[in-house]
Amino acid sequence: MHQKSLIKLFFILIFYYLQGITASKPKHEERLSRAILEFGDDSIQTALARGEYSLIYFYMDGCKYCGEFEQEFNFLSMLYNDKAIKSPKFQVLKTNGKKNPRLNQLFKIQMYPSLRLLNRETKEIIHYNKADRNIESLIEFINEKVEGVEPNFDNVETNVCYITSEDSLSTLIHNGKDTIIAFIADYFRDWSDHNYPSHFYQKLSLEEDYNLEFAIVDIEHPNVNSIIAKFRISNFPSIIYIDREGRIRTLQTLSQNHLTNDRLEENQVINFINDKSSGEGYENLKDLQTTIDSQDFTYDGFKQQKMYGFNFGKHEALSENIDINNEYDELMNELNL
């Protein structure tokens, strides 16, 4: 084979190899790469000239609080950034403060993470001084300082269905696919950010390896009590898996482990999805209801759930007037501690 042909073949193989890498790149990372705008000392003028207003996030490697803020920033970038628009009114940027000393000096950065809003026309620099750096506070700050700018929630792709009624549940489980449903609330430590693109459940829903419908029931929604009762769920967070034949598996729906029943982590969910023998299995909904109804414990599905566990299934009700110390003693007695 001629040398030119070999070179051509080499580049063809490289091209298809790179295409394969791109094709296998998770959708979540693709969405992030389209939204994240990072710049440094070598591109200050170009980056800041692009938008009338720039909200700049200064971070440093190894910063614990920067790591905690990262998912908020990613979500914010998805809501406001669009690389297709050459001259937006508002943009969200990030820069590594330690690696870009000129930017650090220009914006007088003394701690990380820090946020600065730049008005390009007036050169005014506004410090973000709110105590909270959650997405709600950030959007509120932007609305206060920049007129005519709204977050675009259409930019945030999700494959997670939020079930809020019996009708939406019925539509979901009769679409010919297996379905996994998480019963959660915002106050559970593994699920406080369940609506963020960076949450593990959102990312799992976008993986092509899982031919599943992913759904969430927010147990604080006023219209879901009948759904909770239908599946006889008395512990949260918990999940159920319904296959296309109507067979059901459950995980932690009846858990009475007072020390761990407020946790439902990523590895537990992944193992539950992949291991078809895990959890409690039932032939159908009627089998689930009959089996659970025949068990010797009190169904607590409609009772007010305490934050972070202590969702009892089999116990005598404690007095409403009991003080916290006596309640703790009662709990220790029940646990034989």
Side-chain angles (χ1 to χ4, degrees), residues 44-158:
I44 295 176
Q45 187 172 356
T46 304
L48 298 182
R50 183 173 175 269
E52 294 180 37
Y53 290 85
S54 297
L55 181 65
I56 308 167
Y57 160 46
F58 291 82
Y59 72 96
M60 65 174 284
D61 295 332
C63 166
K64 172 186 174 182
Y65 300 106
C66 298
E68 293 174 354
F69 176 65
E70 196 72 18
Q71 65 180 2
E72 305 281 354
F73 172 79
N74 290 344
F75 195 11
L76 194 71
S77 297
M78 287 182 175
L79 293 177
Y80 288 98
N81 285 348
D82 187 345
K83 290 183 178 180
I85 301 176
K86 293 184 178 180
S87 300
K89 181 171 184 178
F90 175 79
Q91 63 179 345
V92 180
L93 305 172
K94 71 183 295 190
T95 187
N96 189 320
K98 284 294 185 180
K99 293 182 178 179
N100 297 284
R102 189 178 171 205
L103 273 166
N104 246 27
Q105 184 178 8
L106 284 172
F107 288 89
K108 297 180 171 56
I109 302 301
Q110 297 180 339
M111 63 182 65
Y112 303 94
S114 286
L115 290 163
R116 300 287 188 270
L117 177 65
L118 172 68
N119 182 327
R120 187 186 66 195
E121 183 177 347
T122 65
K123 304 297 188 293
E124 180 185 12
I125 298 174
I126 303 171
H127 293 218
Y128 180 90
N129 291 323
K130 291 179 180 285
D132 293 323
R133 284 191 291 263
N134 55 42
I135 197 69
E136 292 83 4
S137 299
L138 291 164
I139 292 175
E140 182 181 315
F141 173 78
I142 294 167
N143 289 340
E144 290 172 356
K145 306 301 181 184
V146 185
E147 291 185 7
V149 173
E150 295 292 336
N152 184 0
F153 286 93
D154 291 338
N155 288 343
V156 183
E157 179 186 359
T158 179

Side-chain angles (χ1 to χ4, degrees), residues 214 279 328:
F214 284 77
Y328 178 80

Side-chain angles (χ1 to χ4, degrees), residues 28 31 71-73 75 78 133-136 156-158 162 192-203:
H28 173 69
R31 289 184 295 143
Q71 65 180 2
E72 305 281 354
F73 172 79
F75 195 11
M78 287 182 175
R133 284 191 291 263
N134 55 42
I135 197 69
E136 292 83 4
V156 183
E157 179 186 359
T158 179
Y162 283 79
S192 60
D193 55 348
H194 61 83
N195 58 331
Y196 288 15
S198 54
H199 189 270
F200 72 83
Y201 200 72
Q202 297 284 348
K203 290 193 283 187

Side-chain angles (χ1 to χ4, degrees), residues 281-294:
Y282 307 92
E283 285 300 312
N284 48 47
L285 179 59
K286 185 176 181 180
D287 179 38
L288 178 149
Q289 293 172 341
T290 302
T291 302
I292 294 176
D293 290 347
S294 66

